[in-house]
């Protein structure tokens, strides 16, 4: 390793000619620069920032979101004509595997929609 002007250069073919990053980083962290006095600017900016929301408020918001999802799911299940679907399936001799497959597919579509909506 060769150091020129505070930059480490490889003396030989080490890692495709790249300097040793660990050595360079340790040398850079050893430099001490003089403190610049900002006349209290940083403290004034920090004092003007809004307070960090409490963890309690975040948990409360999450609980309300979960409650809304459970309530909406309960309303959909309550309105879903499960009995009529089962009777129609029995009359038309739809296989149980296709019904399970449709249920899984519907669940995946609903979960994907929920995930996409949550990321917005």
């Amino acid at each position: 390793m060769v150091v020129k002007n505070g930059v480490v250069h490889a003396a030989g073919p080490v890692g495709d000619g790249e300097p040793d990053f660990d050595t360079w980083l340790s040398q850079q962290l050893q430099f001490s620069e003089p403190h610049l006095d900002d006349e209290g600017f940083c403290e004034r900016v920090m004092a003007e920032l809004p307070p960090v929301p409490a963890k309690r408020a975040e948990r409360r918001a999450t609980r309300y979101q979960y409650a809304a999802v459970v309530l909406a799911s309960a309303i959909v299940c309550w309105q879903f004509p499960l009995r009529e679907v089962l009777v129609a399936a029995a009359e038309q001799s739809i296989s149980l595997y296709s019904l399970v497959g449709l249920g899984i597919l519907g669940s995946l579509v609903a979960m994907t929609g929920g995930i996409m909506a949550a990321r917005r």
Side-chain angles (χ1 to χ4, degrees):
M1 298 289 149
V2 178
V3 179
K4 293 182 183 175
N5 297 327
V7 178
V8 177
H9 298 282
V14 176
D16 297 333
E18 292 290 322
D20 184 19
F21 181 74
D22 292 332
T23 306
W24 175 83
L25 183 61
S26 65
Q27 289 177 350
Q28 294 299 318
L29 292 175
Q30 290 176 0
F31 293 127
S32 64
E33 296 184 13
H35 175 71
L36 294 175
D37 187 25
D38 62 357
E39 298 173 358
F41 174 76
C42 291
E43 288 80 16
R44 289 192 305 270
V45 168
M46 294 300 288
E48 293 294 322
L49 290 175
V52 177
K55 294 284 184 185
R56 177 181 241 170
E58 291 177 14
R59 285 192 306 248
R60 186 180 313 129
T62 303
R63 288 181 189 147
Y64 286 140
Q65 291 170 346
Y66 285 136
V69 168
V70 169
L71 180 64
S73 300
I75 291 172
V76 168
C77 289
W78 176 54
Q79 293 294 319
F80 187 74
L82 180 63
R83 184 173 158 181
E84 288 83 8
V85 169
L86 292 177
V87 169
E91 288 175 355
Q92 297 178 8
S93 69
I94 297 176
S95 71
L96 181 61
Y97 293 115
S98 61
L99 284 178
V100 170
L102 285 175
I104 292 172
L105 181 65
S107 298
L108 289 175
V109 168
M111 285 188 280
T112 303
I115 291 170
M116 291 175 66
R119 289 184 179 223
R120 288 187 180 187

